[in-house]
Amino acid sequence: MRNLIISALMAATVIPGVATAQSYGELRRDRQEIREERRDVREAQRRGDWRDVREERRELRDARREYREDLRDRDRRWGRNDWQSYRSQNRALYSRGNWRAPFRYNSWRPGVRIAPTYYGQRYWISDPWRYRLPPARANARWIRHYNDVVLVDYRRGIVLDVIRNFYW
C-alpha cells in the first residue's frame, strides 16, 4: 500500500495538469449559452411558475460564472517557460508547417536593434496566450522568426526576449 501511494505521488509530480486556454470559438459558444439561458429565464417568467424561474436563473448564473472563468483562464499571465509542458502535449499547435521569410535566419540576442522589416505586422503572433507565451508589455509584440519567437519593442526595434526552437 505504501508503494502504491508513493508511486501515485511521484506520478502526480511528473505529469502536471495543464489548464487549457479557451479559443475564441469556445468563448463564442459560452456567450451563446448565456443568451440561451436568458431566453429560458424570460420564457419561465412568461409561464409564471416561480420554481422554473428560480431554476433558470440558477442555470444562467452558472453559465455566466463558467464564461468568466474561461476568460480568466484565457487572460492568465503565463510565465516564461509555461509553454514547454503544454507544447509537449499539443504538438500540432506548434508545428505550423515550414515557415520562411523573405530574409535569412538571424540568431538575435536581447538588447540588439533590428530593422522594421523583421518585425512587421505580418510576423506578429496575434494570440500569444494560445501558445502560453508571457504577455508582452506596452509597445512590445511577440513575432515569429523562423522557428524562434522574439519579443520586440516595435517602437524602437529592440529585441527584448528570444525563445529559440519554439516551433517544431
Side-chain angles (χ1 to χ4, degrees):
M1 184 65 168
R2 182 176 177 219
N3 290 339
L4 179 65
I5 293 172
I6 290 173
S7 63
L9 288 173
M10 288 174 49
T13 58
V14 171
I15 306 170
V18 176
T20 59
Q22 301 298 312
S23 69
Y24 287 116
E26 290 168 329
L27 291 173
R28 189 178 331 111
R29 283 189 293 276
D30 285 348
R31 286 190 301 268
Q32 177 67 30
E33 184 179 333
I34 289 172
R35 284 193 295 273
E36 290 171 1
E37 294 296 336
R38 281 186 194 142
R39 194 176 314 120
D40 292 343
V41 168
R42 284 192 303 269
E43 183 66 29
Q45 287 171 338
R46 264 188 245 127
R47 282 180 284 164
D49 187 8
W50 63 272
R51 289 183 189 107
D52 287 342
V53 172
R54 185 173 57 188
E55 179 64 29
E56 294 300 333
R57 283 183 178 162
R58 185 177 300 129
E59 289 178 8
L60 175 60
R61 187 173 49 246
D62 291 343
R64 285 179 176 158
R65 183 180 305 128
E66 181 179 332
Y67 178 70
R68 284 191 306 267
E69 289 171 0
D70 291 347
L71 274 178
R72 267 193 305 269
D73 182 42
R74 189 189 100 181
D75 293 336
R76 181 175 169 235
R77 294 192 153 312
W78 301 102
R80 169 92 166 61
N81 295 318
D82 285 347
W83 58 272
Q84 290 175 336
S85 63
Y86 182 73
R87 180 177 77 166
S88 65
Q89 295 176 1
N90 298 289
R91 296 176 75 87
L93 181 65
Y94 292 85
S95 61
R96 294 288 183 192
N98 195 6
W99 188 86
R100 295 286 180 247
F103 41 78
R104 66 180 179 83
Y105 175 78
N106 292 299
S107 180
W108 290 312
R109 297 179 322 275
V112 173
R113 184 179 301 264
I114 59 176
T117 55
Y118 291 109
Y119 59 89
Q121 195 167 4
R122 65 186 286 195
Y123 305 114
W124 289 3
I125 298 174
S126 60
D127 52 357
W129 59 269
R130 183 176 185 199
Y131 297 103
R132 305 299 196 270
L133 287 167
R137 64 184 196 208
N139 301 324
R141 282 296 211 156
W142 287 103
I143 62 164
R144 180 171 183 179
H145 182 67
Y146 288 81
N147 287 341
D148 298 345
V149 175
V150 182
L151 183 62
V152 177
D153 181 344
Y154 62 84
R155 294 183 77 190
R156 298 180 298 152
I158 295 177
V159 175
L160 303 173
D161 193 7
V162 179
I163 300 176
R164 301 196 192 292
N165 298 320
F166 184 78
Y167 293 97
W168 298 103

